[in-house]
Amino acid sequence: ILAGGKGERLKPLTDNLPKPMILIDGKPFLEHLINLLKENGIKDVVLLLGYMPEKITEYFGDGSKFGLSIKYSIGAVEDETGARIRNAKDLMRDKFLLMYCDNYWSLNLERLEVFADAHPSLMTVTVYSNKKGVTKNNMFVDNNGYVMAYDKSRTNPNVNGVDTGFFIVNKKEIFGMMPAENFSFEKAIFPRLIEARQLAGYLTDERYYSIGSIDRLPATEKFLGPQKVIFLDRDGVINKKPPKADYVKNWGEFVFLPGAIEAIKLLNDNKYQVYVISNQPGIARGMMTKESLETINRNFEASLKEHGAKVDGVYMCLHGWDEGCDCRKPKPGLLFDASFDHQIDLRRAVFVGDDERDAATGEAANCPVILMPSDGSLLDVVKSLIKE
């Protein structure tokens, strides 16, 4: 983990504290990263330090109290990223994960390694698609999964993502490219890898969070803070499912399943955020109008309100089967949209569905899934979940 910079954009918070020690939800941001690595089965961590290293070494020690081993490579404050990595060469394994200390992305190392194995290269980088435009892009990943351009200035309009600061690095070849002087890893190594088609790009719609500047802290605090979130499929979970190839086309056809309203009220009482996730292609197929769907949604929420219940949001895909959108289940776009809007950590949420498409949606979004039992109800599922 590169953790040696001065954190100029976080001043005055970093006047007497290194950037990764900024508190997020009551503990250093770096601790959140350490816990993320532990969750992914990593047992050995090397921290590359420079600015106020003692603040970090005193807190983390040898890593044993965090359930892994931590070693340190301490250089000058003036060292750039490349020099810090090069100076820690003897502490690195033949293949290692490289990370920035100020970005948090919900790493699934097993999935990232599968991608890297399928895209032979000297280095793999995770790239956020940034479809919502939360920052400026700096990379272009082609349809084959390789980075074709890198723009550190972030002025190139022909790029389609931004690196999240998570890399899989093949040590021998990459270290062989490094100059002897102080240097920027990104400026010196990325262009050479791109030219040789040796930089694979894992393009993801899953947002990353950062402490790189003060304005980014509130969203990061919310994402890493306490959360109780549940996503509910609609037809077959909340209301009676219409026959195959048919839809709930008007409010008169909407029939709550037994216990569904009570289940949502129970979730509300236990401080859960509740979101509805549903495919509704009836509009695209000409079987209903958008206005009728909006009427159904209004009456749905009004009915809940009459019983002291509510949902925090409704996310629906209105596209047809063959439109190639990112939001129609089993694609995970609706979950990513809700996660983006409300800073939800999908790994700590749960998605309740009623068929295999829902299971595939959760798997694609790294969100745990509960499928409704054929002889059970949403209320049964919720009671069991709350009991846990």
Side-chain angles (χ1 to χ4, degrees), residues 104-363:
Y104 190 103
W105 175 69
S106 295
L107 173 69
N108 183 320
L109 184 57
E110 181 179 355
R111 191 172 296 178
L112 183 58
E113 286 188 293
V114 168
F115 174 87
D117 290 342
H119 296 77
S121 58
L122 300 183
M123 190 164 76
T124 298
V125 55
T126 60
V127 182
Y128 173 49
S129 61
N130 195 28
K131 293 176 180 177
K132 307 278 189 180
V134 295
T135 186
K136 292 182 179 179
N137 292 336
N138 64 3
M139 283 190 167
F140 180 80
V141 181
D142 69 9
N143 291 333
N144 295 314
Y146 286 88
V147 178
M148 302 304 294
Y150 171 68
D151 175 30
K152 189 173 177 64
S153 69
R154 303 195 181 195
T155 57
N156 183 351
N158 300 313
V159 286
N160 63 354
V162 56
D163 77 275
T164 70
F166 288 72
F167 308 84
I168 291 180
V169 182
N170 288 287
K171 174 180 174 178
K172 181 179 179 181
E173 294 84 352
I174 297 298
F175 276 79
M177 298 180 178
M178 293 183 175
E181 67 271 11
N182 194 12
F183 74 102
S184 163
F185 185 71
E186 299 88 337
K187 287 182 180 179
I189 304 300
F190 287 8
R192 294 182 62 181
L193 293 176
I194 292 169
E195 184 178 3
R197 198 172 173 76
Q198 287 294 316
L199 181 59
Y202 181 82
L203 194 61
T204 174
D205 291 337
E206 191 164 12
R207 180 181 178 179
Y208 75 99
Y209 291 83
S210 175
I211 59 164
S213 57
I214 288 178
D215 61 297
R216 295 183 175 188
L217 296 182
T220 303
E221 179 90 28
K222 185 175 179 182
F223 181 80
L224 291 174
Q227 294 187 1
K228 294 171 72 174
V229 177
I230 190 166
F231 298 99
L232 304 176
D233 181 32
R234 198 191 76 174
D235 302 338
V237 173
I238 296 174
N239 59 284
K240 184 178 179 180
K241 194 167 190 170
K244 189 174 182 179
D246 196 7
Y247 307 95
V248 176
K249 300 178 290 297
N250 55 67
W251 179 243
E253 296 178 353
F254 190 101
V255 179
F256 279 101
L257 288 170
I261 294 178
E262 187 180 349
I264 294 172
K265 175 69 164 55
L266 186 58
L267 289 167
N268 298 153
D269 292 343
N270 282 272
K271 309 301 182 185
Y272 274 82
Q273 298 176 56
V274 183
Y275 300 93
V276 175
I277 303 289
S278 179
N279 290 343
Q280 293 296 325
I283 295 171
R285 299 190 67 202
M287 298 177 66
M288 60 189 296
T289 65
K290 187 174 181 181
E291 289 72 26
S292 62
L293 180 60
E294 290 172 349
T295 298
I296 292 169
N297 289 339
R298 283 197 302 271
N299 287 328
F300 163 67
E301 296 196 45
S303 296
L304 292 180
K305 187 176 181 180
E306 289 175 4
H307 292 84
K310 69 180 181 69
V311 294
D312 295 274
V314 176
Y315 289 82
M316 293 187 169
C317 171
L318 309 185
H319 300 102
W321 299 338
D322 303 318
E323 291 189 50
C325 66
D326 294 327
C327 52
R328 178 173 170 78
K329 295 180 297 178
K331 291 185 177 179
L334 294 177
L335 288 176
F336 285 144
D337 284 347
S339 171
F340 179 93
D341 291 344
H342 304 283
Q343 295 80 56
I344 296 168
D345 184 350
L346 293 173
R347 299 169 308 155
R348 293 187 283 148
V350 64
F351 179 30
V352 180
D354 70 321
D355 63 35
E356 291 305 315
R357 287 179 306 174
D358 297 321
T361 301
E363 169 66 19

Side-chain angles (χ1 to χ4, degrees), residues 67-85:
L68 38 66
S69 169
I70 297 178
K71 294 187 171 103
Y72 301 92
S73 175
I74 301 175
V77 175
E78 296 74 25
D79 283 350
E80 294 193 62
T81 52
R84 289 197 195 286
I85 298 168

